[in-house]
Structure formats: structure tokens, C-alpha cells
Amino acid sequence: MMQRVRWSVLLLTALVWGAALGCGHVPRDEEGKLRVGLVFDIGGKDDKSFNAAAWEGAKRASQELPIVLRHAEPGEPNNLEPCMRAFAERGYDLIIGIGFAQGPVLATVAKEYPNLHFAIVDSVVDLPNVASLVFKEHEGSFLVGMMAARASRTGKIGFVGGMDIPLIRKFATGYEEGARYVNPNITVLKNFVGITDAAWNNPGKGKELAKAQYEAGADVIFQAAGNSGIGVFDAAEENRKLAIGVDANQNWVKPGFILTSMVKRVDVAVYTIIREALEKRFRGGIHAYGLENEGIAYALDDYNRPLVSEDTLREVEAARQKIIRGDIQVTDYMANLK
């Protein structure tokens, strides 16, 4: 069964690339260029969120730098390893896995190909040829939690996570702490779409959970649910309430109903690691992105500016500086598990 899955993925990837895999030769247009392979999480590059942000960074690199960029969208968890191996077997210089779920797979493949460079987003793989790109999501979640509390008229706000895992609990914890920083008595409703990988790609369930929270009195909901978060946005629009986007700037998705977006600059992290590999400055180990280096931010643009008061912006900016200085300590849920 696994052999059939493997060859079906190889065939699909070959069709995407326009060349048979494992053929050994390097196409003429790839000679002398850094070859980069990107393996998306199961949400795919068009999820308008996490994967989409990574894709923006990779596309920018392909436009600005002399590289060859190929990508694979596995679609199913069992396809992650065959897709990653397809790049490794072809000798790609840098292979990037998007999403924590690829950590074990990437660790296995990277160990077998010590002369190739790998990068993983949202996971830590302790190998010298692996760059672990991680983010301080709790800090950004704290700031949007403040904004949610200030925008709420009911004293109730919500959180809808995708898969119930420590990483998403990290978002939820920071969000709740930020909300309580400005309103200690606020009520925070929390739900998760599911406990398997399918939780990232179920907009119907996301909408159902958000609708229930709005009906329970929440008037702002922060979603950290991948493609399932699109359902939260639909519920916000239908109920004339507010939602908060995640990872990418999603303010444009439902103008007037998205208070802000907690932005993880996955695009910057992906672009930077590609550039460092091209310039032979690649280094393994942890690469951390937070408020201090603008790897985490909240989005403010023409789509949401009318929804956020100047007083709120001043308060949030003051808190941002306090977090950077260490005057405000936001709980890192994942650190507490170690």
C-alpha cells in the first residue's frame, strides 16, 4: 500500500515539474542555480493563511534571487514523506517543510541526506543540516487579545483553534492573557475543530463553532485554524460580528468584519532562509521570530483601520514595547510543557 502511495505521489510531482523524477540529470535552466523544494502542509498553498504566507516568501525569492523553485502539495499526511524524499533523491540544495506535522518526517529524511540543507517551520529538529524556523505566537496573540477586549461590547470574546495541540494552545493562552490585561473580568470562550490533521481543513466545522460562540454572546472571535478559519469569517459576516485572522494578513477576506490579523511572518522566514542558503550562510539550529525582529505583528490597513480606535492602537503599541523590553511576560504555553 505504501509503495502505491509513494509512486502515485512521485507521478503527480513529476507531472507538476514537467520532468520524470529520479532521472539523475539537471535540466539546463537549473544549472548553477540553488534548487529549492517546498513541501506544504495538507492545507495547501491556497489556504489564505499559514501555507499561503510561506508561498509568498518563496515566490518572492524566486523573483528576486537566482534560484529554481519547485513545490509539492501532499494533500494527505501519508504523502508528506514521499514528497520530501522526491526532492532529496533529486539532490535539491534546500528542502523546506511547512508545518509542525512534518517535523518527524523531515528529521528522518535530513538524517539520511546530511549533505543537503533542510528547514522546518513551526518545529524544532536538532540536526546540524536543519534550520528550525519558530515564532513567538503568544506575543502577537496577546496584542490581538487586547484589541478584541477593547472592541467587545458584551464582555465575551471567543477563540476557535484548528487541531487541539500545544502550538494552538500557545495562541489561545496569549490571546486570553492579552484580553485580561485590559479587562480582567472578560469571558473567553474556546473551542477546537478537532484532534486530527483534518481539523485544519474543515471550514464547515469552523463556522459551526464560531456561530455557537456568537450565539453565546461573544462578539469577537480569534481563529487559529488554517483553512477551517474561513468558516469563522463566514460566521462573522452572517452574524454581523467581528473575527481576527491569523498567520497571513487576512483583513481583506471579509472587509469590515475582520478586526485585525495576528501575522506570523512565515514569508520573511522562508525568504530569509533561502537567501542565506544561496549566499552560503545557511546555519542549522533555531531561528526565532518575534516582536523584536518584526517576525510577529498585528495587521493594520485600509480594510480594518475604521474598526480600531486610536486609543486602542496607542495602548497596544505601548504593550508591544513592554513585551520587547521584558516588562510584560507573556506565557509561552509550549515552554511550560518542557
mmCIF file of all heavy atoms in Angstrom, residues 25-62:
data_model
loop_
_atom_site.group_PDB
_atom_site.id
_atom_site.type_symbol
_atom_site.label_atom_id
_atom_site.label_comp_id
_atom_site.label_asym_id
_atom_site.label_seq_id
_atom_site.Cartn_x
_atom_site.Cartn_y
_atom_site.Cartn_z
ATOM 1 N N HIS A 25 19.723 13.713 -14.221
ATOM 2 C CA HIS A 25 20.301 14.890 -14.866
ATOM 3 C C HIS A 25 19.653 16.152 -14.344
ATOM 4 O O HIS A 25 18.542 16.131 -13.811
ATOM 5 C CB HIS A 25 20.129 14.813 -16.381
ATOM 6 C CG HIS A 25 18.727 15.094 -16.831
ATOM 7 N ND1 HIS A 25 17.727 14.150 -16.780
ATOM 8 C CD2 HIS A 25 18.152 16.233 -17.314
ATOM 9 C CE1 HIS A 25 16.596 14.675 -17.232
ATOM 10 N NE2 HIS A 25 16.826 15.942 -17.552
ATOM 11 N N VAL A 26 20.361 17.271 -14.463
ATOM 12 C CA VAL A 26 19.832 18.564 -14.062
ATOM 13 C C VAL A 26 19.434 19.321 -15.318
ATOM 14 O O VAL A 26 20.261 19.510 -16.215
ATOM 15 C CB VAL A 26 20.896 19.382 -13.282
ATOM 16 C CG1 VAL A 26 20.360 20.747 -12.918
ATOM 17 C CG2 VAL A 26 21.318 18.622 -12.031
ATOM 18 N N PRO A 27 18.172 19.736 -15.449
ATOM 19 C CA PRO A 27 17.768 20.499 -16.629
ATOM 20 C C PRO A 27 18.677 21.704 -16.850
ATOM 21 O O PRO A 27 19.177 22.311 -15.904
ATOM 22 C CB PRO A 27 16.336 20.931 -16.288
ATOM 23 C CG PRO A 27 15.860 19.891 -15.331
ATOM 24 C CD PRO A 27 17.055 19.505 -14.531
ATOM 25 N N ARG A 28 18.841 22.049 -18.120
ATOM 26 C CA ARG A 28 19.779 23.109 -18.486
ATOM 27 C C ARG A 28 19.477 24.423 -17.761
ATOM 28 O O ARG A 28 20.374 25.136 -17.319
ATOM 29 C CB ARG A 28 19.748 23.320 -20.005
ATOM 30 C CG ARG A 28 20.874 24.191 -20.539
ATOM 31 C CD ARG A 28 20.762 24.297 -22.057
ATOM 32 N NE ARG A 28 20.868 22.963 -22.666
ATOM 33 C CZ ARG A 28 22.005 22.450 -23.106
ATOM 34 N NH1 ARG A 28 23.116 23.144 -23.002
ATOM 35 N NH2 ARG A 28 22.032 21.266 -23.656
ATOM 36 N N ASP A 29 18.178 24.744 -17.587
ATOM 37 C CA ASP A 29 17.839 26.021 -16.966
ATOM 38 C C ASP A 29 18.075 26.028 -15.457
ATOM 39 O O ASP A 29 17.948 27.058 -14.809
ATOM 40 C CB ASP A 29 16.383 26.399 -17.256
ATOM 41 C CG ASP A 29 15.387 25.450 -16.602
ATOM 42 O OD1 ASP A 29 15.813 24.341 -16.222
ATOM 43 O OD2 ASP A 29 14.211 25.831 -16.480
ATOM 44 N N GLU A 30 18.453 24.870 -14.877
ATOM 45 C CA GLU A 30 18.714 24.804 -13.454
ATOM 46 C C GLU A 30 20.198 24.821 -13.135
ATOM 47 O O GLU A 30 20.591 24.929 -11.974
ATOM 48 C CB GLU A 30 18.075 23.543 -12.859
ATOM 49 C CG GLU A 30 16.561 23.516 -12.937
ATOM 50 C CD GLU A 30 15.961 22.336 -12.178
ATOM 51 O OE1 GLU A 30 16.730 21.639 -11.490
ATOM 52 O OE2 GLU A 30 14.741 22.128 -12.283
ATOM 53 N N GLU A 31 21.049 24.709 -14.129
ATOM 54 C CA GLU A 31 22.484 24.631 -13.895
ATOM 55 C C GLU A 31 22.993 25.898 -13.215
ATOM 56 O O GLU A 31 22.694 27.017 -13.635
ATOM 57 C CB GLU A 31 23.222 24.412 -15.222
ATOM 58 C CG GLU A 31 22.973 23.042 -15.827
ATOM 59 C CD GLU A 31 23.701 22.851 -17.147
ATOM 60 O OE1 GLU A 31 24.376 23.813 -17.582
ATOM 61 O OE2 GLU A 31 23.597 21.771 -17.731
ATOM 62 N N GLY A 32 23.750 25.703 -12.127
ATOM 63 C CA GLY A 32 24.358 26.827 -11.439
ATOM 64 C C GLY A 32 23.429 27.571 -10.505
ATOM 65 O O GLY A 32 23.837 28.550 -9.873
ATOM 66 N N LYS A 33 22.184 27.140 -10.400
ATOM 67 C CA LYS A 33 21.226 27.820 -9.530
ATOM 68 C C LYS A 33 20.954 26.982 -8.284
ATOM 69 O O LYS A 33 21.039 25.754 -8.315
ATOM 70 C CB LYS A 33 19.909 28.073 -10.271
ATOM 71 C CG LYS A 33 20.018 29.048 -11.429
ATOM 72 C CD LYS A 33 18.649 29.291 -12.059
ATOM 73 C CE LYS A 33 18.727 30.296 -13.197
ATOM 74 N NZ LYS A 33 17.388 30.530 -13.812
ATOM 75 N N LEU A 34 20.609 27.678 -7.203
ATOM 76 C CA LEU A 34 20.190 26.988 -5.990
ATOM 77 C C LEU A 34 18.815 26.388 -6.242
ATOM 78 O O LEU A 34 17.889 27.075 -6.671
ATOM 79 C CB LEU A 34 20.114 27.976 -4.822
ATOM 80 C CG LEU A 34 19.772 27.349 -3.462
ATOM 81 C CD1 LEU A 34 21.058 26.834 -2.806
ATOM 82 C CD2 LEU A 34 19.092 28.358 -2.556
ATOM 83 N N ARG A 35 18.685 25.113 -5.967
ATOM 84 C CA ARG A 35 17.394 24.442 -6.180
ATOM 85 C C ARG A 35 16.685 24.278 -4.843
ATOM 86 O O ARG A 35 17.227 23.688 -3.909
ATOM 87 C CB ARG A 35 17.609 23.103 -6.872
ATOM 88 C CG ARG A 35 18.180 23.261 -8.289
ATOM 89 C CD ARG A 35 18.116 21.972 -9.054
ATOM 90 N NE ARG A 35 18.938 20.929 -8.448
ATOM 91 C CZ ARG A 35 18.821 19.631 -8.708
ATOM 92 N NH1 ARG A 35 17.911 19.216 -9.570
ATOM 93 N NH2 ARG A 35 19.614 18.757 -8.141
ATOM 94 N N VAL A 36 15.475 24.805 -4.776
ATOM 95 C CA VAL A 36 14.703 24.828 -3.540
ATOM 96 C C VAL A 36 13.421 24.031 -3.721
ATOM 97 O O VAL A 36 12.670 24.252 -4.671
ATOM 98 C CB VAL A 36 14.352 26.281 -3.130
ATOM 99 C CG1 VAL A 36 13.512 26.287 -1.853
ATOM 100 C CG2 VAL A 36 15.613 27.112 -2.954
ATOM 101 N N GLY A 37 13.172 23.108 -2.799
ATOM 102 C CA GLY A 37 11.937 22.332 -2.814
ATOM 103 C C GLY A 37 11.094 22.678 -1.600
ATOM 104 O O GLY A 37 11.587 22.681 -0.470
ATOM 105 N N LEU A 38 9.824 22.997 -1.833
ATOM 106 C CA LEU A 38 8.905 23.404 -0.760
ATOM 107 C C LEU A 38 7.807 22.356 -0.627
ATOM 108 O O LEU A 38 7.124 22.048 -1.605
ATOM 109 C CB LEU A 38 8.311 24.767 -1.125
ATOM 110 C CG LEU A 38 7.708 25.633 -0.025
ATOM 111 C CD1 LEU A 38 8.793 26.083 0.940
ATOM 112 C CD2 LEU A 38 7.027 26.847 -0.639
ATOM 113 N N VAL A 39 7.652 21.803 0.571
ATOM 114 C CA VAL A 39 6.594 20.815 0.826
ATOM 115 C C VAL A 39 5.565 21.458 1.750
ATOM 116 O O VAL A 39 5.855 21.760 2.911
ATOM 117 C CB VAL A 39 7.151 19.540 1.475
ATOM 118 C CG1 VAL A 39 6.017 18.528 1.696
ATOM 119 C CG2 VAL A 39 8.238 18.920 0.600
ATOM 120 N N PHE A 40 4.361 21.677 1.231
ATOM 121 C CA PHE A 40 3.319 22.332 2.007
ATOM 122 C C PHE A 40 2.663 21.373 2.985
ATOM 123 O O PHE A 40 2.705 20.155 2.812
ATOM 124 C CB PHE A 40 2.255 22.928 1.082
ATOM 125 C CG PHE A 40 2.736 24.133 0.333
ATOM 126 C CD1 PHE A 40 3.047 24.046 -1.014
ATOM 127 C CD2 PHE A 40 2.890 25.345 0.972
ATOM 128 C CE1 PHE A 40 3.499 25.154 -1.713
ATOM 129 C CE2 PHE A 40 3.341 26.464 0.287
ATOM 130 C CZ PHE A 40 3.645 26.365 -1.062
ATOM 131 N N ASP A 41 2.026 21.952 3.995
ATOM 132 C CA ASP A 41 1.178 21.186 4.894
ATOM 133 C C ASP A 41 -0.076 20.777 4.120
ATOM 134 O O ASP A 41 -0.293 21.218 2.986
ATOM 135 C CB ASP A 41 0.824 22.058 6.109
ATOM 136 C CG ASP A 41 0.533 21.220 7.344
ATOM 137 O OD1 ASP A 41 0.385 19.999 7.197
ATOM 138 O OD2 ASP A 41 0.464 21.790 8.437
ATOM 139 N N ILE A 42 -0.928 19.976 4.739
ATOM 140 C CA ILE A 42 -2.053 19.428 3.989
ATOM 141 C C ILE A 42 -3.073 20.493 3.575
ATOM 142 O O ILE A 42 -3.882 20.252 2.705
ATOM 143 C CB ILE A 42 -2.754 18.296 4.766
ATOM 144 C CG1 ILE A 42 -3.330 18.808 6.083
ATOM 145 C CG2 ILE A 42 -1.799 17.146 5.005
ATOM 146 C CD1 ILE A 42 -4.189 17.781 6.779
ATOM 147 N N GLY A 43 -3.023 21.680 4.191
ATOM 148 C CA GLY A 43 -3.939 22.755 3.791
ATOM 149 C C GLY A 43 -3.657 23.291 2.401
ATOM 150 O O GLY A 43 -4.537 23.875 1.766
ATOM 151 N N GLY A 44 -2.426 23.115 1.917
ATOM 152 C CA GLY A 44 -2.070 23.579 0.578
ATOM 153 C C GLY A 44 -1.768 25.067 0.529
ATOM 154 O O GLY A 44 -2.085 25.827 1.440
ATOM 155 N N LYS A 45 -1.158 25.480 -0.560
ATOM 156 C CA LYS A 45 -0.650 26.846 -0.662
ATOM 157 C C LYS A 45 -1.749 27.898 -0.810
ATOM 158 O O LYS A 45 -1.466 29.096 -0.716
ATOM 159 C CB LYS A 45 0.323 26.964 -1.840
ATOM 160 C CG LYS A 45 -0.299 26.851 -3.229
ATOM 161 C CD LYS A 45 0.766 26.976 -4.305
ATOM 162 C CE LYS A 45 0.172 27.072 -5.699
ATOM 163 N NZ LYS A 45 -0.616 25.872 -6.058
ATOM 164 N N ASP A 46 -2.974 27.484 -1.023
ATOM 165 C CA ASP A 46 -4.071 28.445 -1.211
ATOM 166 C C ASP A 46 -4.985 28.532 0.006
ATOM 167 O O ASP A 46 -6.164 28.870 -0.113
ATOM 168 C CB ASP A 46 -4.897 28.063 -2.452
ATOM 169 C CG ASP A 46 -4.078 28.135 -3.728
ATOM 170 O OD1 ASP A 46 -3.276 29.070 -3.864
ATOM 171 O OD2 ASP A 46 -4.237 27.254 -4.590
ATOM 172 N N ASP A 47 -4.436 28.272 1.204
ATOM 173 C CA ASP A 47 -5.284 28.286 2.403
ATOM 174 C C ASP A 47 -5.541 29.692 2.944
ATOM 175 O O ASP A 47 -6.217 29.862 3.948
ATOM 176 C CB ASP A 47 -4.685 27.406 3.499
ATOM 177 C CG ASP A 47 -3.361 27.943 4.052
ATOM 178 O OD1 ASP A 47 -2.835 28.924 3.496
ATOM 179 O OD2 ASP A 47 -2.851 27.378 5.033
ATOM 180 N N LYS A 48 -4.994 30.722 2.277
ATOM 181 C CA LYS A 48 -5.165 32.125 2.682
ATOM 182 C C LYS A 48 -4.590 32.392 4.072
ATOM 183 O O LYS A 48 -4.904 33.394 4.696
ATOM 184 C CB LYS A 48 -6.647 32.548 2.661
ATOM 185 C CG LYS A 48 -7.317 32.465 1.298
ATOM 186 C CD LYS A 48 -8.749 32.983 1.363
ATOM 187 C CE LYS A 48 -9.416 32.979 0.008
ATOM 188 N NZ LYS A 48 -9.656 31.624 -0.496
ATOM 189 N N SER A 49 -3.729 31.512 4.557
ATOM 190 C CA SER A 49 -3.212 31.637 5.915
ATOM 191 C C SER A 49 -1.754 31.203 5.958
ATOM 192 O O SER A 49 -0.912 31.785 5.280
ATOM 193 C CB SER A 49 -4.084 30.806 6.871
ATOM 194 O OG SER A 49 -3.679 30.935 8.199
ATOM 195 N N PHE A 50 -1.467 30.178 6.738
ATOM 196 C CA PHE A 50 -0.114 29.738 7.034
ATOM 197 C C PHE A 50 0.674 29.323 5.792
ATOM 198 O O PHE A 50 1.759 29.842 5.510
ATOM 199 C CB PHE A 50 -0.216 28.583 8.028
ATOM 200 C CG PHE A 50 1.074 27.969 8.439
ATOM 201 C CD1 PHE A 50 1.918 28.634 9.301
ATOM 202 C CD2 PHE A 50 1.429 26.716 7.982
ATOM 203 C CE1 PHE A 50 3.109 28.050 9.703
ATOM 204 C CE2 PHE A 50 2.608 26.129 8.379
ATOM 205 C CZ PHE A 50 3.455 26.801 9.239
ATOM 206 N N ASN A 51 0.126 28.389 5.033
ATOM 207 C CA ASN A 51 0.810 27.932 3.827
ATOM 208 C C ASN A 51 0.925 29.040 2.787
ATOM 209 O O ASN A 51 1.942 29.162 2.101
ATOM 210 C CB ASN A 51 0.061 26.734 3.221
ATOM 211 C CG ASN A 51 0.213 25.473 4.040
ATOM 212 O OD1 ASN A 51 1.198 24.758 3.936
ATOM 213 N ND2 ASN A 51 -0.771 25.187 4.875
ATOM 214 N N ALA A 52 -0.128 29.851 2.674
ATOM 215 C CA ALA A 52 -0.116 30.945 1.710
ATOM 216 C C ALA A 52 0.994 31.939 2.028
ATOM 217 O O ALA A 52 1.645 32.481 1.114
ATOM 218 C CB ALA A 52 -1.469 31.652 1.688
ATOM 219 N N ALA A 53 1.231 32.193 3.309
ATOM 220 C CA ALA A 53 2.305 33.109 3.706
ATOM 221 C C ALA A 53 3.664 32.534 3.303
ATOM 222 O O ALA A 53 4.534 33.257 2.798
ATOM 223 C CB ALA A 53 2.250 33.350 5.212
ATOM 224 N N ALA A 54 3.865 31.241 3.523
ATOM 225 C CA ALA A 54 5.120 30.602 3.115
ATOM 226 C C ALA A 54 5.312 30.697 1.610
ATOM 227 O O ALA A 54 6.420 30.957 1.116
ATOM 228 C CB ALA A 54 5.123 29.142 3.553
ATOM 229 N N TRP A 55 4.231 30.507 0.870
ATOM 230 C CA TRP A 55 4.287 30.567 -0.590
ATOM 231 C C TRP A 55 4.668 31.960 -1.067
ATOM 232 O O TRP A 55 5.426 32.115 -2.027
ATOM 233 C CB TRP A 55 2.952 30.124 -1.163
ATOM 234 C CG TRP A 55 2.850 30.050 -2.653
ATOM 235 C CD1 TRP A 55 1.879 30.573 -3.441
ATOM 236 C CD2 TRP A 55 3.741 29.365 -3.553
ATOM 237 N NE1 TRP A 55 2.098 30.275 -4.760
ATOM 238 C CE2 TRP A 55 3.234 29.534 -4.867
ATOM 239 C CE3 TRP A 55 4.917 28.639 -3.371
ATOM 240 C CZ2 TRP A 55 3.875 29.006 -5.986
ATOM 241 C CZ3 TRP A 55 5.560 28.098 -4.498
ATOM 242 C CH2 TRP A 55 5.032 28.288 -5.776
ATOM 243 N N GLU A 56 4.167 33.002 -0.391
ATOM 244 C CA GLU A 56 4.530 34.373 -0.761
ATOM 245 C C GLU A 56 6.027 34.599 -0.602
ATOM 246 O O GLU A 56 6.666 35.221 -1.447
ATOM 247 C CB GLU A 56 3.745 35.377 0.090
ATOM 248 C CG GLU A 56 2.281 35.500 -0.283
ATOM 249 C CD GLU A 56 2.074 35.879 -1.738
ATOM 250 O OE1 GLU A 56 2.742 36.834 -2.205
ATOM 251 O OE2 GLU A 56 1.276 35.219 -2.419
ATOM 252 N N GLY A 57 6.588 34.107 0.497
ATOM 253 C CA GLY A 57 8.022 34.265 0.703
ATOM 254 C C GLY A 57 8.845 33.519 -0.332
ATOM 255 O O GLY A 57 9.865 34.019 -0.822
ATOM 256 N N ALA A 58 8.397 32.313 -0.667
ATOM 257 C CA ALA A 58 9.114 31.517 -1.666
ATOM 258 C C ALA A 58 9.021 32.157 -3.049
ATOM 259 O O ALA A 58 10.010 32.201 -3.801
ATOM 260 C CB ALA A 58 8.552 30.098 -1.686
ATOM 261 N N LYS A 59 7.836 32.657 -3.400
ATOM 262 C CA LYS A 59 7.678 33.305 -4.702
ATOM 263 C C LYS A 59 8.544 34.557 -4.798
ATOM 264 O O LYS A 59 9.141 34.828 -5.850
ATOM 265 C CB LYS A 59 6.214 33.663 -4.943
ATOM 266 C CG LYS A 59 5.322 32.491 -5.266
ATOM 267 C CD LYS A 59 3.968 32.937 -5.783
ATOM 268 C CE LYS A 59 3.213 33.746 -4.756
ATOM 269 N NZ LYS A 59 1.863 34.141 -5.253
ATOM 270 N N ARG A 60 8.606 35.309 -3.716
ATOM 271 C CA ARG A 60 9.462 36.498 -3.711
ATOM 272 C C ARG A 60 10.916 36.101 -3.957
ATOM 273 O O ARG A 60 11.619 36.745 -4.741
ATOM 274 C CB ARG A 60 9.334 37.230 -2.372
ATOM 275 C CG ARG A 60 10.245 38.445 -2.256
ATOM 276 C CD ARG A 60 10.227 39.026 -0.857
ATOM 277 N NE ARG A 60 11.309 39.955 -0.671
ATOM 278 C CZ ARG A 60 11.798 40.332 0.504
ATOM 279 N NH1 ARG A 60 11.269 39.843 1.624
ATOM 280 N NH2 ARG A 60 12.807 41.178 0.592
ATOM 281 N N ALA A 61 11.348 35.027 -3.311
ATOM 282 C CA ALA A 61 12.720 34.559 -3.518
ATOM 283 C C ALA A 61 12.956 34.164 -4.966
ATOM 284 O O ALA A 61 14.009 34.476 -5.552
ATOM 285 C CB ALA A 61 13.010 33.382 -2.587
ATOM 286 N N SER A 62 11.974 33.492 -5.576
ATOM 287 C CA SER A 62 12.136 33.055 -6.966
ATOM 288 C C SER A 62 12.175 34.226 -7.931
ATOM 289 O O SER A 62 12.780 34.146 -9.007
ATOM 290 C CB SER A 62 11.015 32.090 -7.356
ATOM 291 O OG SER A 62 9.772 32.760 -7.442
#
